[in-house]
Amino acid sequence: MILNKGLRGTCAQCLRNWSTSSVVFLEKQSKYAVTPDENVLKDLRDEVYKPRKHPGVMKESATVMPEGFVKAALNTVADYPVKALVESGNTLSRHLKGRVPPMERTQILRKYEQVRDKVLRQHLDREITSQEEERRFRQMSKDKIDNIMREKIYNWKPMRYDVYSSLAYLLVRAPAEYAVLRRILGEIARRDPEFTPRSLFDFGSGVGTVTWAANFYWKNQIYEYFNVDCSSDMNDLAQVLLQGGRGNAPSSLKGAFFRQFLPASNVGYDLVASAYSMMELPSMETRLDTILNLWNKTQKYLVVVEQGTNAGFKVINEIRDFILQIDKEGSVGHVFAPCPHDQSCPRYVRDDGTPCNFEVRYWTMPVGQKSECRTERYCYVVLRKGKREDSDQPKWPRLVRPTLVKSKHTLCRICSCKGQLEDVIFTKKKHGKLTYHCARASRWGDLLPITLETNEEINNKDTED
């Protein structure tokens, strides 16, 4: 829960820092020249779209669950105490957001040695005159070390979902996860309109939110849905939802398969996803073995999503770095989103306790509760097979924190294609009316249709010309 409190203060702290150190930003701003994308500028001048609708905008209105999903959920929980399920779901959701992956054995041993040395240093002057006194001292020290270790080491246990907990998960977690996946898959659909997946593989499929989100964009293109979840009750629930909440009804989706274990074969799938599942694996070795298995099944895109906490961010960055270091022919990949580069994550390297996360709004399901608009924070990476080509996509920087809009200037914190975090102050006088209004309309998670260049890079270009 401490992580969550830290997250709630992140935005406010960022805004306070920005407002109290604008002089520093102005100094940094002088090092860079902002060059707007010429194609976007032309479209803006021709009024193809307004600045608030520029092609880098990713934000959508609050996501609502599909009507068919809500009806199926109502049918599924008809014989259960719905209000109690919602309360259990809220408790489960809080637990999942505070969850961290298990510590590695080497980390535990290192921590144990640190605690042991600290405890023993407190008794350096103690005189032991008998074997019985020594025995009591050893037992006392051991008990004290064990108590401290229990406080310091997260008691990780694998999540086990039965029928009841699966239904609780459905009512509370499904809308948030669906909204996140809609946002991520929507960016793929917008930026790569030629991508028409024929097959989908979902690891840790749960109640099937990946399938429902993918169907929003490619329902008529996908012909195979392979879902893997270790919980047989989750698999049964996901299948029943596709049947409208009635187990004896035909499925609304053909080609959907459910399994409890990863298949041994490396059959390829156009789109492979793992949402909120990697932290449920017992070790880093298992996570990396699993992600390599998924990467080998990927033909075009691999999507990995975790909670928007520091723990979720570290797992995502671990996976990102692991895939990017693969140098085997046919397995090379690059980051499609959110990063505009393949270098080390600047936020992770800085290690300032702030995760690289994003936010989406969604409406809760009107099942056992009044529908409310809430926000969900998440960390993610979309990896694409093949080397990064200059012609693939424009290398627009991404906003990684809320935009700070003032009366005559706008402050944007962006992650650039150079693999750096930059604070850019946009003004109408310096950057032009259209670029200024594009920055002003952009929000956390959007791409800015600009490039950042240092004075040295501009001089080098002029020399070459």
Side-chain angles (χ1 to χ4, degrees):
M1 296 308 295
I2 294 176
L3 287 173
N4 292 337
K5 289 179 181 177
L7 280 174
R8 285 197 294 270
T10 298
C11 294
Q13 185 63 44
C14 284
L15 296 180
R16 285 196 295 271
N17 290 342
W18 288 356
S19 61
T20 57
S21 56
S22 58
V23 175
V24 177
F25 295 148
L26 286 169
E27 290 176 355
K28 291 182 69 177
Q29 172 68 6
S30 63
K31 299 178 182 178
Y32 294 94
V34 174
T35 305
D37 188 289
E38 289 299 329
N39 294 326
V40 174
L41 268 184
K42 182 179 182 301
D43 289 341
L44 289 170
R45 292 192 191 104
D46 295 341
E47 297 186 352
V48 176
Y49 42 73
K50 300 288 186 182
R52 66 176 182 274
K53 298 287 187 179
H54 71 77
V57 171
M58 302 293 165
K59 189 175 182 180
E60 298 178 349
S61 57
T63 306
V64 180
M65 290 299 293
E67 185 178 351
F69 190 98
V70 176
K71 288 182 178 179
L74 282 168
N75 292 334
T76 304
V77 301
D79 297 329
Y80 291 87
V82 179
K83 289 188 177 180
L85 277 174
V86 172
E87 291 178 4
S88 298
N90 288 327
T91 302
L92 175 62
S93 181
R94 289 191 293 271
H95 173 72
L96 292 174
K97 288 182 179 180
R99 200 160 164 77
V100 300
M103 289 185 70
E104 301 299 312
R105 181 172 175 79
T106 54
Q107 293 175 309
I108 295 176
L109 290 175
R110 194 181 306 119
K111 191 70 177 178
Y112 184 87
E113 291 174 358
Q114 292 173 353
V115 172
R116 181 196 60 193
D117 293 344
K118 182 178 180 180
V119 170
L120 293 179
R121 278 199 300 270
Q122 296 173 351
H123 301 278
L124 287 176
D125 298 333
R126 180 167 182 160
E127 294 184 5
I128 299 177
T129 57
S130 65
Q131 291 185 346
E132 177 62 24
E133 188 175 353
E134 180 180 0
R135 185 191 67 79
R136 288 199 300 270
F137 173 72
R138 287 180 179 275
Q139 186 62 46
M140 180 270 295
S141 300
K142 181 180 181 301
D143 292 342
K144 191 170 184 179
I145 292 170
D146 290 343
N147 289 335
I148 295 175
M149 287 295 290
R150 276 193 289 270
E151 293 177 1
K152 298 290 185 182
I153 303 300
Y154 179 77
N155 185 26
W156 185 90
K157 293 180 181 178
M159 295 295 298
R160 304 295 184 191
Y161 290 98
D162 54 18
V163 173
Y164 187 86
S165 57
S166 297
L167 291 172
Y169 191 98
L170 164 69
L171 295 185
V172 176
R173 286 299 305 159
E177 293 184 7
Y178 175 77
V180 169
L181 292 161
R182 271 273 304 272
R183 171 76 173 270
I184 296 170
L185 298 183
E187 180 172 352
I188 297 176
R190 283 193 293 271
R191 290 176 55 192
D192 189 2
E194 295 181 359
F195 177 58
T196 54
R198 308 281 289 180
S199 54
L200 167 67
F201 187 97
D202 184 10
F203 175 75
S205 53
V207 297
T209 46
V210 170
T211 293
W212 287 84
N215 277 346
F216 185 85
Y217 299 103
W218 305 293
K219 184 173 184 179
N220 296 325
Q221 283 80 36
I222 301 178
Y223 290 92
E224 182 182 3
Y225 304 80
F226 201 103
N227 300 275
V228 174
D229 197 287
C230 62
S231 170
S232 60
D233 291 313
M234 276 286 199
N235 284 335
D236 292 341
L237 176 57
Q239 192 162 16
V240 167
L241 290 170
L242 291 176
Q243 297 171 327
R246 305 188 184 281
N248 56 355
S251 175
S252 61
L253 198 65
K254 295 181 179 179
F257 304 95
F258 296 88
R259 300 289 186 272
Q260 283 186 263
F261 306 100
L262 274 169
S265 63
N266 277 335
V267 176
Y269 296 84
D270 294 329
L271 179 61
V272 178
S274 173
Y276 304 95
S277 301
M278 287 293 133
M279 282 206 294
E280 299 306 320
L281 299 179
S283 68
M284 182 174 69
E285 182 180 1
T286 307
R287 288 195 297 273
L288 297 183
D289 285 344
T290 302
I291 210 66
L292 181 59
N293 192 331
L294 298 180
W295 184 242
N296 288 334
K297 297 181 188 301
T298 303
Q299 292 189 337
K300 193 66 178 286
Y301 289 106
L302 170 63
V303 178
V304 187
V305 190
E306 286 298 337
Q307 298 281 354
T309 59
N310 283 295
F313 172 50
K314 288 179 180 179
V315 168
I316 290 294
N317 192 69
E318 166 191 282
I319 290 168
R320 178 187 183 276
D321 288 349
F322 177 72
I323 296 298
L324 291 180
Q325 60 86 33
I326 295 176
D327 195 23
K328 183 180 177 182
E329 187 176 353
S331 294
V332 176
H334 65 274
V335 180
F336 178 83
C339 322
H341 61 86
D342 296 330
Q343 302 174 48
S344 297
C345 174
R347 190 170 291 285
Y348 188 79
V349 171
R350 178 178 290 183
D351 194 25
D352 60 357
T354 304
C356 183
N357 56 12
F358 302 91
E359 191 173 81
V360 69
R361 295 186 305 134
Y362 68 96
W363 288 94
T364 60
M365 282 199 297
V367 182
Q369 60 182 337
K370 183 181 178 181
S371 185
E372 298 177 349
C373 187
R374 297 180 182 175
T375 59
E376 174 77 3
R377 290 190 179 174
Y378 61 97
C379 297
Y380 79 106
V381 64
V382 179
L383 296 155
R384 182 175 177 175
K385 273 286 175 77
K387 293 183 179 179
R388 183 187 291 273
E389 302 291 342
D390 290 337
S391 58
D392 278 354
Q393 293 287 338
K395 297 180 180 179
W396 296 343
R398 189 180 296 272
L399 276 77
V400 294
R401 280 295 169 259
T403 307
L404 186 59
V405 177
K406 295 293 186 178
S407 60
K408 293 185 179 180
H409 66 274
T410 297
L411 278 67
C412 296
R413 166 152 285 198
I414 59 177
C415 183
S416 72
C417 64
K418 299 176 178 62
Q420 298 175 347
L421 290 176
E422 306 292 350
D423 299 295
V424 183
I425 300 177
F426 289 89
T427 64
K428 190 183 300 184
K429 181 178 179 180
K430 186 171 185 177
H431 302 100
K433 180 179 178 181
L434 295 176
T435 302
Y436 170 66
H437 282 293
C438 279
R440 204 170 177 82
S442 299
R443 295 292 179 264
W444 186 6
D446 291 346
L447 295 171
L448 267 179
I450 63 169
T451 55
L452 288 182
E453 295 178 302
T454 62
N455 295 326
E456 182 180 353
E457 289 172 331
I458 294 172
N459 292 335
N460 290 338
K461 277 187 178 181
D462 294 339
T463 304
E464 290 174 3
D465 295 340

